[in-house]
Amino acid sequence: MKATCFALVDCNNFYASCEKLFRPDLAHRPVVVLSNNDGCIVARSKEAKALGIKMGVPLFQINELIKQHRIVTFSSNYALYADMSARVMTTLELMAPAVEVYSIDEAFLDLSLLPHTELTQYGQFIRQRIAQWQGISVCVGIAPSKTLAKLANHAAKTWPKTQGVVDLTAVTRQRKLLALLPVGEVWGIGRKLSIRLQALGIHTALQLADANPSFIRQQFSVVVERTVRELNGESCIPLEEQPPTKKEIVSSRSFGERITAQPLLQEAIAEYVARACQKLRKERQHARQLTVFLRTSPFSKSQEPYYANSANATLGAPSADTRDFLPLANRLLQQIWRDGYRYAKAGVMLSDFYDEGVYQPSLFEPTASYHADPSLMQTLDRYNQSGKGKIWFASQGVKQSWAMKRQHLSPAYTTNWLQLPVVS
């Protein structure tokens, strides 16, 4: 049986790279991407990192730095990032027999069939192909286990001499790298675990790899024991080509302005229901339970009274049709709405999922009121994803004055025909 070999391909500064891709004039300019409502820094280009800008820092705290170094700011363009991610992942699927999409900018590849002498060259080929076809820079970490592949990728990003590819299939190279890295850099070892491990004298990744697995399991858990085995090249975490079915879907945003009128909050809830149901249909699932929640800001400087509440209800039969959830969401909102508050955030959650066609209806529960024909929702999704425009329910509103602030939003270069880049 051939030994396992994984490659972790990770896009460099992904959000910032997507913004730079369609703006050649920003090739060497520092770029930052902002969170919802343009509040905090959530992504930085390498030039912005070199200026010492930290993740999560509020935008207002670096206003002087932005002026001084001509830093370009962008609002989060989720449509652009999701589409570029899909293009990168599609390319990777052409280059390996099995691929696990781990996050929007990371994927594990199965390279077990490749000769070990060709792994570094193939890693470079992956980098060149993604750069040529998608214009995105990536780093590649190669190892016999996922945990080691994560560390190899970290090394590929950290040390330029690696030229973006690190192969850890050799035990000597594994141990050399593990000795250089603090235990907190290991995949799955968070801050609290790091403190507990350091109290036991385990400060580096190599010391964790050399620990007795049974002792680690006794002191922590089987998960940490598995990490020890992975650090020694034993593959304990298999590739998941098919992502596990979600147990719930949440759609929520902070508002651009505080909401004090119920009709505006009804619009926002309707928008969130429509988004959640679209995600539900993409997962090919039906849901029975809907939860609506809202809150005011817990950080208000004017000492406003704080209020938060939620309500949930269950459909008689599972559905993925937005029309079944909109009236239910409105009734739940009526239950938890209170006059006199300035609402800062609201959202919905779908749960209690069923595969299509497997639910056994109750003998006494009428189901005729639910929309069983999926053709309208399929047409709606197909048109909204075509880039030609958007169709929505009237209850979602037209102006949506409550929508989150995105004052630095770039065009939807790849998903909207009207915003395609123009070459002159």
Side-chain angles (χ1 to χ4, degrees):
M1 185 174 179
K2 193 169 180 64
T4 57
C5 182
F6 300 98
L8 177 64
V9 181
D10 189 2
C11 300
N12 299 328
N13 314 313
F14 183 58
Y15 286 6
S17 296
C18 290
E19 298 292 357
K20 283 192 169 193
L21 183 58
F22 297 94
R23 290 284 304 274
D25 57 308
L26 302 181
H28 304 291
R29 290 272 299 276
V31 166
V32 296
V33 179
L34 308 174
S35 63
N36 294 342
N37 290 312
D38 295 343
C40 302
I41 308 297
V42 295
R44 307 151 294 161
S45 67
K46 63 180 181 180
E47 297 85 1
K49 290 179 180 178
L51 295 173
I53 298 174
K54 304 296 183 183
M55 278 284 286
V57 64
L59 179 63
F60 72 87
Q61 290 185 4
I62 61 167
N63 280 334
E64 290 302 318
L65 200 62
I66 288 174
K67 294 176 183 176
Q68 180 182 352
H69 296 280
R70 298 174 60 238
I71 300 171
V72 183
T73 59
F74 287 99
S75 302
S76 294
N77 189 337
Y78 301 115
L80 174 64
Y81 310 150
D83 186 68
M84 289 306 303
S85 172
R87 292 168 186 244
V88 170
M89 300 308 168
T90 299
T91 304
L92 291 176
E93 287 171 351
L94 299 174
M95 305 176 72
V99 175
E100 175 189 338
V101 178
Y102 181 66
S103 68
I104 192 170
D105 61 349
E106 291 178 281
F108 286 102
L109 279 61
D110 183 359
L111 301 185
S112 302
L113 298 179
L114 278 180
H116 281 200
T117 55
E118 299 178 8
L119 290 172
T120 300
Q121 296 93 314
Y122 199 72
Q124 291 296 345
F125 174 63
I126 291 172
R127 295 189 74 234
Q128 293 161 9
R129 176 60 59 86
I130 298 298
Q132 181 184 3
W133 287 17
Q134 313 302 342
I136 298 294
S137 170
V138 302
C139 283
V140 182
I142 302 169
S145 71
K146 281 185 171 182
T147 303
L148 283 175
K150 271 274 191 181
L151 292 177
N153 189 279
H154 172 77
K157 286 177 176 290
T158 303
W159 290 291
K161 287 184 178 180
T162 63
Q163 297 183 321
V165 178
V166 169
D167 175 10
L168 286 187
T169 51
V171 176
T172 52
R173 299 198 72 191
Q174 293 171 17
R175 295 184 66 79
K176 183 177 179 181
L177 177 62
L178 293 179
L180 295 173
L181 298 177
V183 70
E185 290 292 344
V186 177
W187 187 30
I189 303 297
R191 185 178 61 85
K192 291 183 179 179
L193 267 179
S194 294
I195 294 172
R196 291 179 61 192
L197 287 166
Q198 289 167 11
L200 295 173
I202 299 173
H203 299 277
T204 68
L206 182 59
Q207 288 173 325
L208 180 59
D210 288 340
N212 185 299
S214 300
F215 172 76
I216 292 296
R217 179 173 184 170
Q218 182 183 8
Q219 294 294 317
F220 298 94
S221 67
V222 67
V223 175
V224 185
E225 179 199 8
R226 185 179 65 185
T227 298
V228 172
R229 297 185 184 279
E230 285 254 325
L231 289 174
N232 285 284
E234 180 183 342
S235 178
C236 303
I237 309 174
L239 205 70
E240 292 184 357
E241 294 183 72
Q242 188 66 35
T245 303
K246 294 179 180 177
K247 296 188 185 325
E248 57 189 37
I249 291 175
V250 177
S251 179
S252 175
R253 289 283 188 278
S254 295
F255 304 128
E257 302 289 343
R258 299 290 188 264
I259 289 183
T260 57
Q262 193 179 45
L264 292 180
L265 196 51
Q266 288 173 334
E267 284 186 8
I269 292 296
E271 173 72 15
Y272 300 148
V273 167
R275 290 180 187 173
C277 288
Q278 184 181 23
K279 293 178 183 177
L280 184 68
R281 293 189 290 271
K282 190 175 180 180
E283 293 279 323
R284 297 187 177 182
Q285 294 286 297
H286 287 191
R288 284 194 71 201
Q289 191 163 72
L290 172 68
T291 302
V292 174
F293 56 90
L294 50 72
R295 67 167 173 81
T296 60
S297 174
F299 310 108
S300 176
K301 296 179 180 179
S302 58
Q303 301 300 314
E304 296 175 2
Y306 179 71
Y307 173 69
N309 206 346
S310 65
N312 62 76
T314 303
L315 291 175
S319 174
D321 196 305
T322 308
R323 294 169 293 175
D324 293 330
F325 289 98
L326 285 173
L328 183 60
N330 196 37
R331 290 200 298 272
L332 293 174
L333 177 61
Q334 302 288 340
Q335 294 178 24
I336 59 178
W337 169 270
R338 299 292 182 271
D339 290 324
Y341 290 98
R342 288 160 43 86
Y343 293 99
K345 186 176 183 178
V348 303
M349 180 176 75
L350 299 177
S351 55
D352 194 11
F353 289 176
Y354 293 82
D355 292 332
E356 296 174 345
V358 302
Y359 175 72
Q360 178 66 47
S362 167
L363 179 65
F364 304 103
E365 183 70 32
T367 59
S369 60
Y370 295 106
H371 300 87
D373 185 359
S375 56
L376 178 61
M377 292 297 105
Q378 291 172 354
T379 303
L380 191 73
D381 293 341
R382 190 162 53 247
Y383 184 81
N384 287 342
Q385 293 166 12
S386 69
K388 298 177 182 178
K390 186 178 180 182
I391 301 173
W392 65 93
F393 291 88
S395 56
Q396 294 174 238
V398 178
K399 294 183 179 180
Q400 295 190 340
S401 57
W402 44 266
M404 65 179 180
K405 293 178 182 177
R406 292 203 282 181
Q407 297 177 348
H408 310 280
L409 184 64
S410 57
Y413 296 107
T414 63
T415 56
N416 189 321
W417 286 102
L418 300 178
Q419 298 182 29
L420 289 177
V422 177
V423 178
S424 57

